[in-house]
Amino acid sequence: MSDFGEVLSAVGPRLRALREQGGATLAQLSRATGISVSTLSRLESGQRRPTLELLLPLARAHQVPLDELVDAPPTGDPRVHPRPVRRHGMTYLPLTRRPGGVRAYKLIIPAATPRGEPDPRSHEGHEWLYVLSGRLRLVLGEHDLVLTDGEVAEFDTRVPHWLANPADEPVELLILFGPQGERAHVRARPTR
């Protein structure tokens, strides 16, 4: 018998067990599902091959997922576990997976990183950043700013820029980066 045949032959006993656990008769289950008593009996005894049209109302009536009726194998962990990237002492945690377009990152900069004098660099793109916690030093062109919790900066990355953490605790921020100069689309702005 094939794996498929084994799965189908196990459905009948599973259906009978679910019905009996719930204390229902074939007649009661027939009223709840609209499936005839004879069809239900043949399904439970394995004389009738289960179809999706029969299994869906039965899963609803027994209040179980369809997977449980056919004993589907577990699908595994559906969570995505992004891999952090360390660069220049900073940790970038990618929040988007698709190539191209705007990319999102959580950036963690340890205390007093990087050390030394600012070394602004420029490259193609557009950046938007939001400070989650801590203090961020942003050298942007002629400006030397310190951003704190909840503050935002948006700039063309062709302007020389440099990020650092001047504090004794880590700084965490969210970054949206458009490598081809894509910008964040702000649809609603607060009134002043």
Side-chain angles (χ1 to χ4, degrees):
M1 184 181 285
S2 70
D3 288 345
F4 184 67
E6 287 177 26
V7 167
L8 290 179
S9 67
V11 171
R14 201 169 288 113
L15 288 172
R16 177 176 285 124
L18 282 169
R19 181 177 57 79
E20 290 172 351
Q21 284 172 3
T25 65
L26 285 173
Q28 291 168 325
L29 188 57
S30 175
R31 284 192 295 278
T33 61
I35 301 170
S36 72
V37 171
S38 64
T39 299
L40 289 172
S41 176
R42 290 193 335 260
L43 277 171
E44 287 186 3
S45 66
Q47 296 172 354
R48 168 94 190 242
R49 189 176 196 136
T51 64
L52 193 56
E53 290 79 17
L54 295 171
L55 291 177
L56 285 173
L58 286 167
R60 257 185 250 115
H62 292 304
Q63 297 180 344
V64 297
L66 186 59
D67 293 4
E68 195 171 312
L69 291 183
V70 295
D71 196 27
T75 57
D77 188 348
R79 296 173 294 176
V80 174
H81 298 282
R83 292 200 165 81
V85 175
R86 294 196 37 88
R87 214 178 281 151
H88 311 294
M90 303 177 201
T91 302
Y92 293 82
L93 185 64
L95 301 175
T96 50
R97 296 179 46 169
R98 66 183 175 88
V102 175
R103 298 179 195 145
Y105 300 90
K106 179 177 182 182
L107 174 61
I108 303 166
I109 308 174
T113 302
R115 300 188 189 281
E117 290 299 309
D119 183 21
R121 304 279 171 104
S122 61
H123 51 86
E124 288 295 316
H126 196 86
E127 196 159 288
W128 180 92
L129 55 88
Y130 176 87
V131 178
L132 293 167
S133 65
R135 296 166 40 95
L136 174 72
R137 182 177 177 198
L138 170 62
V139 174
L140 180 62
E142 302 297 316
H143 304 282
D144 192 342
L145 309 164
V146 175
L147 304 175
T148 59
D149 301 13
E151 291 191 293
V152 175
E154 179 181 9
F155 54 93
D156 185 322
T157 56
R158 291 177 295 189
V159 175
H161 57 284
W162 182 77
L163 303 176
N165 180 354
D168 294 332
E169 61 203 32
V171 62
E172 295 185 2
L173 53 143
L174 293 178
I175 293 179
L176 294 179
F177 174 66
Q180 276 76 50
E182 301 95 336
R183 299 178 69 157
H185 298 283
V186 179
R187 307 240 10 216
R189 295 183 188 271
T191 56
R192 295 191 188 260

